Amino acid sequence: MFDPKTTCIVVVGAQWGDEGKGKLVDVLAERADLVVRYQGGANAGHTVVIGDKQFVLRQIPSGILHPRVTCLIGNGVVLEPENLFSELDSLRERGIDTAGRLYISDRAHLVLPYHKLLDAASEKSQKLGTTGRGIGPAYEDKYGRRGIRVVDLRRLECASAILQDRVNRANQLLALMGSAERAHLETHIRLLERLAPRLLPLAADVGLLIYRALQAQRRVLLEGAQGALLDVDHGTYPYVTSSNTTAGGAAVGSGIGPTKIHGVLGVVKAYTTRVGNGPLPTEAKAPDGERLRELGGEFGAVTGRPRRCGWFDATVVRYATRVNGLTGLAVTKLDVLDSFAEIPVGTSYRLNGEVCEEMPAEVDALGRVEPVYEVQPGWLKPTGDARKLADLPGAARAYLDRLEALSGVPVRYVSVGTRRDQIIEVTP
Ligand code: IMP
């Protein structure tokens, strides 16, 4: 997708997350200079398979697996430092040298142990099915203007004083929510003292680094986490994550202006999955749901939870196309459908007997819609070895054409397996 005029591209999930953004970013990163994560945190799990090795990256951008790529974590991310360091250590153990290739925004907020306690306690009543990584409470602190940022580690005495107030407050909330857990100030202070020497050398003005790179005609990939329907503003609220997962979040969360972004690639599975609670209109009934889960290996990369599986939902993807301003689509896991003789595709919904082509704002309404399906013929042949569109069976090409027509955005990539080389680039 890069060309001399298209040097800054956002990659977003256009369903409920887990679409295979990690693989797409890995593929595109071959031609990128910078790869930037801009929202979310350790709730993400981006899987990349290289040869017989599988890497699951939670916070480090998927571009790190390309030796000449520099990776940045933007101000919009809520950073869980201990997880970051274990990720870095595990990459080093597996022969990936990250020295001088990873920087973190000095403006990024930290996720601390008390955030995880609050997340667990509020799950007891809210039952959103969160990943339990403290994401919601960390963003609450950020927007409540009481967060602790990477830059605060430069003045540890101040940070410790702030912590006292935060830990007290967290303990009051825990008591109010009926939790027996308590956060401990000493543990938090020791944690910051331990983190500071390792984190501060990586701290940088990430927005400035991206700006300068773009001025120098370098290629920048902004890597989204989760998916459009989990966006706090545009998703199936309240069954969403706490950040802006849509492309607008890329500018804010990386520290560049929206006019610097030239293209937005939306990643979708050839079917649909969701992990956590909330409506999923095209969820497949047994046995198809289980079959998709088995064939697609649909278990959460972070929590191991089984993902709910269903058919491609064009209403969702049309909506994601609009709210993200998608300029291209990447369809992943086409091979998972290889053995289905018939493949339903949700084209619109029926709500209270009326056709509904747009995403309702009310989550209850989305829970009540009935998908309108059309059935596409399957191809019943393996697609994993296809490297160009012409290698695909006719019915698979027709399926992709239909997804493209229903979504209103051109298909630019098709992924036909987990490996790096199992990708088709569609040249316009
Ligand atoms: P949180 O982001 O942990 O607060 O979880 C809120 C919702 O987003 C839950 O339904 C999670 O399952 C979902 N979620 C968060 N991160 C991901 C992801 O990377 N993939 C899929 N779902 C996610």
Side-chain angles (χ1 to χ4, degrees):
M1 284 185 76
F2 286 116
D3 64 42
K5 285 198 174 149
T6 310
T7 55
C8 184
I9 295 171
V10 187
V11 177
V12 288
Q15 293 162 324
W16 275 278
D18 308 317
E19 298 91 349
K21 294 175 292 292
K23 168 159 178 181
L24 258 295
V25 168
D26 176 63
V27 166
L28 286 165
E30 203 164 75
R31 293 168 223 167
D33 299 292
L34 287 185
V35 179
V36 189
R37 265 285 302 271
Y38 57 82
Q39 44 70 230
N43 50 350
H46 293 168
T47 307
V48 182
V49 179
I50 302 172
D52 56 1
K53 287 187 184 168
Q54 173 170 300
F55 297 85
V56 178
L57 299 160
R58 291 187 180 177
Q59 301 189 92
I60 298 178
S62 307
I64 202 75
L65 303 172
H66 291 270
R68 47 166 290 282
V69 169
T70 298
C71 288
L72 305 175
I73 295 181
N75 55 280
V77 167
V78 285
L79 186 81
E80 189 187 322
E82 286 200 297
N83 168 268
L84 177 87
F85 293 135
S86 54
E87 234 174 271
L88 277 173
D89 293 341
S90 124
L91 283 174
R92 191 175 333 105
E93 278 160 24
R94 299 178 76 184
I96 311 283
D97 182 13
T98 60
R101 293 205 296 126
L102 178 74
Y103 297 95
I104 297 158
S105 170
D106 43 15
R107 291 164 171 84
H109 282 247
L110 298 180
V111 180
L112 296 170
Y114 77 81
H115 292 123
K116 289 192 198 169
L117 295 180
L118 289 171
D119 197 355
S122 56
E123 260 303 276
K124 291 226 164 76
S125 58
Q126 279 194 293
K127 301 210 178 347
L128 300 175
T130 73
T131 60
R133 310 300 305 204
I135 302 296
Y139 278 114
E140 278 179 49
D141 272 358
K142 169 174 172 168
Y143 291 106
R145 294 160 294 180
R146 49 177 183 268
I148 296 181
R149 302 189 299 170
V150 170
V151 69
D152 295 324
L153 296 181
R154 292 203 181 120
R155 293 167 64 220
L156 268 181
E157 340 71 67
C158 284
S160 301
I162 302 172
L163 258 183
Q164 174 140 29
D165 172 70
R166 304 305 177 262
V167 167
N168 285 343
R169 204 173 166 279
N171 285 337
Q172 285 167 7
L173 284 172
L174 287 166
L176 204 65
M177 289 192 276
S179 166
E181 297 277 5
R182 292 294 175 269
H184 300 287
L185 180 61
E186 267 313 296
T187 322
H188 280 76
I189 292 178
R190 296 285 92 82
L191 177 69
L192 292 198
E193 285 170 354
R194 215 171 55 243
L195 294 173
R198 202 166 171 197
L199 201 51
L200 285 175
L202 305 179
D205 183 340
V206 159
L208 181 63
L209 295 181
I210 305 173
Y211 180 81
R212 285 190 178 144
L214 289 171
Q215 295 285 82
Q217 286 298 302
R218 297 208 183 286
R219 292 166 164 193
V220 177
L221 208 53
L222 302 169
E223 176 181 9
Q226 292 87 40
L229 278 293
L230 290 173
D231 185 287
V232 69
D233 283 274
H234 304 294
T236 47
Y237 193 89
Y239 298 101
V240 293
T241 190
S242 300
S243 62
N244 282 116
T245 60
T246 45
V252 180
S254 63
I256 57 169
T259 50
K260 300 287 172 208
I261 295 171
H262 307 122
V264 184
L265 182 71
V267 187
V268 292
K269 276 181 191 159
Y271 49 100
T272 305
T273 64
R274 167 166 209 170
V275 61
N277 301 336
L280 179 62
T282 59
E283 189 159 12
K285 310 253 175 313
D288 286 336
E290 275 105 76
R291 213 167 132 210
L292 285 169
R293 187 177 309 121
E294 281 304 309
L295 291 168
E298 297 295 354
F299 297 89
V302 173
T303 58
R305 291 181 289 179
R307 295 181 185 139
R308 298 154 63 195
C309 298
W311 307 113
F312 189 86
D313 186 337
T315 313
V316 161
V317 179
R318 264 197 310 272
Y319 176 67
T321 299
R322 173 163 65 81
V323 295
N324 282 294
L326 297 186
T327 56
L329 211 59
V331 180
T332 63
K333 293 194 151 184
L334 185 71
D335 54 301
V336 172
L337 300 178
D338 286 353
S339 62
F340 286 84
E342 294 189 323
I343 308 170
V345 172
T347 54
S348 61
Y349 302 140
R350 272 193 174 278
L351 180 61
N352 304 327
E354 310 259 312
V355 174
C356 167
E357 306 237 333
E358 300 298 334
M359 188 57 58
E362 221 188 329
V363 78
D364 286 353
L366 190 64
R368 280 187 284 112
V369 298
E370 285 180 24
V372 176
Y373 287 111
E374 64 181 31
V375 178
Q376 295 292 317
W379 40 95
L380 300 175
K381 288 195 187 91
T383 53
D385 290 333
R387 296 296 175 269
K388 48 189 190 310
L389 276 185
D391 297 338
L392 288 173
R397 289 205 304 275
Y399 184 74
L400 292 170
D401 286 347
R402 191 64 188 133
L403 301 196
E404 179 171 291
L406 287 167
S407 312
V409 66
V411 173
R412 302 296 306 272
Y413 292 91
V414 183
S415 171
V416 289
T418 51
R419 291 199 323 265
R420 204 179 231 181
D421 63 306
Q422 290 180 299
I423 191 96
I424 297 171
E425 184 169 352
V426 182
T427 36

